[in-house]
Amino acid sequence: MVFREVCLLAMKLYKNMGGGQFSCSSLVAQMRAFIDFSKGYDSKYVLGIDNVFTWWKYCNPVRLEEHYIQQLVMKVL
């Protein structure tokens, strides 16, 4: 239930950023991939060396214009 609520909130935020239905659906798919540490989201975060902005900047398993989770995270941060 928690994941569903997070997805609904993320989609609402992304729609407010100008996202459409397709991009919101893709956002949820990217969120699932992130949670599963799928390829593209599997790089280690090194505490004390990395920072969250750099990690997300280079975490890019899809074309930049389709990286909806990255766009949302950068806006929220």
Side-chain angles (χ1 to χ4, degrees):
M1 280 310 269
V2 172
F3 181 73
R4 182 178 188 282
E5 295 299 318
V6 169
C7 287
L8 291 173
L9 179 59
M11 287 189 299
K12 181 178 178 180
L13 290 171
Y14 200 75
K15 280 184 182 180
N16 288 340
M17 292 171 52
Q21 184 173 346
F22 174 77
S23 58
C24 285
S25 297
S26 295
L27 169 65
V28 172
Q30 291 172 8
M31 291 170 66
R32 286 191 299 264
F34 173 77
I35 288 172
D36 288 340
F37 298 103
S38 296
K39 186 176 181 180
Y41 298 105
D42 57 349
S43 25
K44 300 259 187 223
Y45 180 89
V46 181
L47 194 61
I49 297 173
D50 283 325
N51 68 58
V52 70
F53 294 105
T54 303
W55 190 89
W56 276 106
K57 180 179 177 182
Y58 292 101
C59 174
N60 193 6
V62 294
R63 293 189 330 225
L64 188 57
E65 65 272 9
E66 296 176 349
H67 202 204
Y68 307 115
I69 190 172
Q70 181 191 54
Q71 294 168 18
L72 180 63
V73 166
M74 294 299 225
K75 183 75 169 182
V76 169
L77 292 174

